Amino acid sequence: MKVDFNTDADHIDVPINKYGLTGSLFVLFAAFLLGLAFVASPARFVTESYRYNTPQSIFVIGFFIVIVCGPLTAIVFYRIFVMKSGLTVNMDGITNNSYIGSGGFINWNTITRINKEEGDYPISIVVHVNSPDEFIQSQSNMLKRRAAADRYKKYGSPAVINTYSLKCDYDELYWFLTDTLKTYKEAAK
Protein backbone atom coordinates (compact mmCIF):
# COMPACT_ATOMS: atom_id res chain seq x y z
CA MET A 1 0.00 0.00 0.00
CA LYS A 2 1.33 3.44 -0.89
CA VAL A 3 1.66 6.13 1.75
CA ASP A 4 -1.66 7.93 1.99
CA PHE A 5 -0.22 11.38 2.65
CA ASN A 6 -2.66 14.17 3.33
CA THR A 7 -0.65 17.18 2.26
CA ASP A 8 -1.12 20.75 3.29
CA ALA A 9 1.05 23.76 2.57
CA ASP A 10 3.03 23.42 5.79
CA HIS A 11 2.74 19.79 6.88
CA ILE A 12 2.12 16.20 5.80
CA ASP A 13 -0.23 13.88 7.67
CA VAL A 14 -0.19 10.09 7.61
CA PRO A 15 -3.63 8.83 8.71
CA ILE A 16 -4.27 6.09 11.24
CA ASN A 17 -5.05 2.60 9.95
CA LYS A 18 -8.62 2.43 11.23
CA TYR A 19 -9.15 -1.14 10.06
CA GLY A 20 -6.37 -2.43 12.28
CA LEU A 21 -7.67 -0.51 15.28
CA THR A 22 -11.25 -1.71 14.77
CA GLY A 23 -10.25 -5.26 15.75
CA SER A 24 -8.53 -3.92 18.87
CA LEU A 25 -11.64 -1.91 19.73
CA PHE A 26 -13.83 -5.00 19.40
CA VAL A 27 -11.55 -7.10 21.65
CA LEU A 28 -11.23 -4.36 24.28
CA PHE A 29 -14.98 -3.72 24.35
CA ALA A 30 -15.71 -7.46 24.67
CA ALA A 31 -13.22 -7.70 27.56
CA PHE A 32 -14.82 -4.64 29.17
CA LEU A 33 -18.26 -6.25 28.96
CA LEU A 34 -16.90 -9.49 30.42
CA GLY A 35 -15.35 -7.50 33.28
CA LEU A 36 -18.71 -5.82 33.92
CA ALA A 37 -20.36 -9.24 34.03
CA PHE A 38 -17.73 -10.45 36.53
CA VAL A 39 -18.40 -7.41 38.73
CA ALA A 40 -22.20 -7.57 38.44
CA SER A 41 -22.58 -11.24 39.36
CA PRO A 42 -19.31 -12.95 40.28
CA ALA A 43 -21.07 -16.02 41.73
CA ARG A 44 -22.23 -17.04 38.23
CA PHE A 45 -18.62 -17.55 37.14
CA VAL A 46 -17.46 -19.71 40.07
CA THR A 47 -16.48 -23.26 39.14
CA GLU A 48 -14.82 -26.06 41.07
CA SER A 49 -11.97 -26.51 38.59
CA TYR A 50 -9.79 -23.63 39.83
CA ARG A 51 -8.25 -23.40 43.29
CA TYR A 52 -8.78 -19.65 43.87
CA ASN A 53 -12.17 -19.52 42.23
CA THR A 54 -14.29 -17.58 44.73
CA PRO A 55 -16.83 -14.83 44.12
CA GLN A 56 -14.41 -12.35 45.69
CA SER A 57 -11.55 -13.25 43.35
CA ILE A 58 -13.88 -13.15 40.32
CA PHE A 59 -15.07 -9.69 41.44
CA VAL A 60 -11.48 -8.43 41.80
CA ILE A 61 -10.55 -9.81 38.38
CA GLY A 62 -13.62 -8.19 36.83
CA PHE A 63 -12.91 -4.90 38.57
CA PHE A 64 -9.32 -4.94 37.26
CA ILE A 65 -10.55 -5.71 33.72
CA VAL A 66 -13.04 -2.82 33.88
CA ILE A 67 -10.38 -0.43 35.20
CA VAL A 68 -7.91 -1.36 32.43
CA CYS A 69 -10.18 -2.02 29.45
CA GLY A 70 -12.64 0.84 30.03
CA PRO A 71 -10.17 3.68 29.46
CA LEU A 72 -8.37 1.76 26.70
CA THR A 73 -11.67 1.24 24.89
CA ALA A 74 -12.39 4.97 25.12
CA ILE A 75 -8.90 5.84 23.84
CA VAL A 76 -9.11 3.46 20.87
CA PHE A 77 -12.64 4.71 20.09
CA TYR A 78 -11.30 8.28 20.12
CA ARG A 79 -8.40 7.30 17.87
CA ILE A 80 -10.71 5.65 15.34
CA PHE A 81 -13.53 8.16 15.15
CA VAL A 82 -12.02 11.52 16.17
CA MET A 83 -8.26 11.50 15.55
CA LYS A 84 -7.42 11.87 11.88
CA SER A 85 -3.62 11.80 11.85
CA GLY A 86 -1.28 9.18 13.25
CA LEU A 87 1.88 10.97 12.14
CA THR A 88 2.43 14.61 11.21
CA VAL A 89 5.64 15.81 9.58
CA ASN A 90 6.37 19.52 9.28
CA MET A 91 9.38 21.84 9.28
CA ASP A 92 9.51 21.79 13.10
CA GLY A 93 9.63 18.02 13.46
CA ILE A 94 7.58 14.85 13.67
CA THR A 95 4.43 14.48 15.78
CA ASN A 96 4.05 10.78 16.50
CA ASN A 97 0.58 9.59 17.53
CA SER A 98 0.95 6.18 15.92
CA TYR A 99 -0.06 4.30 19.08
CA ILE A 100 -1.25 4.95 22.62
CA GLY A 101 2.18 5.11 24.25
CA SER A 102 3.88 7.07 21.47
CA GLY A 103 6.25 9.89 22.25
CA GLY A 104 4.41 12.84 20.75
CA PHE A 105 6.53 15.62 19.22
CA ILE A 106 10.13 15.01 18.09
CA ASN A 107 12.04 18.12 17.01
CA TRP A 108 14.30 17.82 13.95
CA ASN A 109 17.13 19.41 15.98
CA THR A 110 17.15 16.45 18.38
CA ILE A 111 17.12 13.69 15.72
CA THR A 112 20.52 12.15 14.98
CA ARG A 113 19.45 9.33 12.66
CA ILE A 114 16.50 7.19 11.60
CA ASN A 115 16.71 3.44 11.08
CA LYS A 116 14.47 0.41 10.49
CA GLU A 117 13.61 -2.25 13.04
CA GLU A 118 12.40 -5.26 11.08
CA GLY A 119 13.20 -8.01 13.57
CA ASP A 120 9.88 -8.05 15.36
CA TYR A 121 6.24 -7.37 14.71
CA PRO A 122 4.94 -4.72 14.30
CA ILE A 123 7.59 -3.24 12.03
CA SER A 124 8.92 -0.03 13.53
CA ILE A 125 10.94 3.00 12.51
CA VAL A 126 13.41 4.00 15.22
CA VAL A 127 14.11 7.73 15.51
CA HIS A 128 17.37 8.22 17.42
CA VAL A 129 17.56 11.42 19.46
CA ASN A 130 20.70 13.10 20.78
CA SER A 131 19.51 13.18 24.41
CA PRO A 132 17.35 10.12 25.17
CA ASP A 133 17.08 10.87 28.91
CA GLU A 134 15.73 14.38 28.27
CA PHE A 135 13.26 12.97 25.74
CA ILE A 136 12.04 10.40 28.27
CA GLN A 137 11.61 13.06 30.99
CA SER A 138 9.75 15.37 28.59
CA GLN A 139 6.88 12.86 28.20
CA SER A 140 3.53 14.14 29.47
CA ASN A 141 2.78 11.47 32.09
CA MET A 142 4.27 8.59 34.04
CA LEU A 143 2.95 5.87 31.70
CA LYS A 144 4.43 7.53 28.62
CA ARG A 145 7.75 8.04 30.43
CA ARG A 146 7.80 4.35 31.34
CA ALA A 147 6.93 3.32 27.77
CA ALA A 148 9.69 5.59 26.41
CA ALA A 149 12.20 4.08 28.86
CA ASP A 150 11.18 0.57 27.77
CA ARG A 151 11.57 1.52 24.10
CA TYR A 152 15.01 2.95 24.90
CA LYS A 153 16.08 -0.37 26.44
CA LYS A 154 14.68 -2.41 23.53
CA TYR A 155 15.53 -0.25 20.50
CA GLY A 156 18.28 2.08 21.75
CA SER A 157 15.99 5.08 21.36
CA PRO A 158 12.86 6.24 23.21
CA ALA A 159 11.28 7.53 19.99
CA VAL A 160 9.77 4.74 17.87
CA ILE A 161 7.15 5.01 15.13
CA ASN A 162 4.83 2.00 14.98
CA THR A 163 4.00 1.57 11.30
CA TYR A 164 1.34 -1.10 11.90
CA SER A 165 -1.14 1.50 13.09
CA LEU A 166 -0.47 3.88 10.20
CA LYS A 167 -2.10 3.77 6.79
CA CYS A 168 1.11 3.63 4.80
CA ASP A 169 3.83 1.53 3.25
CA TYR A 170 6.64 0.90 5.70
CA ASP A 171 9.53 1.38 3.27
CA GLU A 172 8.07 4.46 1.62
CA LEU A 173 7.52 6.13 5.00
CA TYR A 174 11.05 5.23 6.10
CA TRP A 175 12.63 6.74 2.97
CA PHE A 176 10.41 9.82 3.20
CA LEU A 177 11.50 10.45 6.80
CA THR A 178 15.20 9.89 6.09
CA ASP A 179 15.05 12.21 3.05
CA THR A 180 13.22 14.86 5.06
CA LEU A 181 15.83 14.59 7.84
CA LYS A 182 18.66 15.04 5.28
CA THR A 183 16.88 18.04 3.80
CA TYR A 184 16.42 19.60 7.22
CA LYS A 185 20.06 18.96 8.25
CA GLU A 186 21.34 20.51 5.00
CA ALA A 187 19.08 23.55 5.41
CA ALA A 188 20.26 24.01 9.01
CA LYS A 189 23.94 24.27 7.94
Side-chain angles (χ1 to χ4, degrees):
M1 175 190 314
K2 302 286 270 174
V3 176
D4 187 14
F5 293 124
N6 293 328
T7 57
D8 195 355
D10 60 347
H11 69 277
I12 295 173
D13 290 330
V14 180
I16 291 175
N17 182 2
K18 294 182 181 186
Y19 297 111
L21 287 177
T22 303
S24 299
L25 178 65
F26 176 74
V27 170
L28 284 169
F29 188 66
F32 177 73
L33 291 177
L34 180 65
L36 284 177
F38 281 4
V39 169
S41 60
R44 289 181 56 199
F45 298 96
V46 174
T47 63
E48 298 297 322
S49 64
Y50 186 63
R51 189 166 117 179
Y52 299 107
N53 205 356
T54 64
Q56 293 83 9
S57 63
I58 299 292
F59 179 84
V60 170
I61 292 169
F63 186 73
F64 179 74
I65 291 171
V66 167
I67 294 293
V68 171
C69 292
L72 287 176
T73 301
I75 290 169
V76 172
F77 184 84
Y78 172 80
R79 292 176 65 77
I80 290 173
F81 295 108
V82 177
M83 186 180 272
K84 302 294 182 206
S85 173
L87 189 74
T88 302
V89 180
N90 60 26
M91 288 310 293
D92 295 327
I94 302 168
T95 304
N96 180 14
N97 293 316
S98 59
Y99 60 101
I100 294 171
S102 60
F105 181 72
I106 311 163
N107 194 319
W108 288 117
N109 293 332
T110 63
I111 299 174
T112 58
R113 72 182 195 279
I114 299 172
N115 68 311
K116 299 177 182 183
E117 184 66 40
E118 297 184 21
D120 60 347
Y121 186 81
I123 298 171
S124 302
I125 296 174
V126 181
V127 181
H128 293 273
V129 294
N130 57 8
S131 181
D133 292 327
E134 282 182 27
F135 185 83
I136 292 168
Q137 294 307 314
S138 71
Q139 298 305 302
S140 60
N141 61 49
M142 182 186 71
L143 295 175
K144 285 191 176 189
R145 282 191 292 276
R146 178 63 187 178
D150 289 344
R151 287 191 302 271
Y152 183 52
K153 286 179 188 173
K154 183 174 182 179
Y155 298 105
S157 174
V160 176
I161 299 170
N162 179 349
T163 59
Y164 174 73
S165 61
L166 296 174
K167 191 175 185 181
C168 68
D169 177 64
Y170 166 72
D171 288 321
E172 190 175 345
L173 179 62
Y174 169 74
W175 288 112
F176 170 75
L177 290 174
T178 54
D179 289 344
T180 305
L181 178 63
K182 286 179 190 173
T183 303
Y184 177 79
K185 295 290 183 183
E186 290 173 5
K189 289 181 181 179

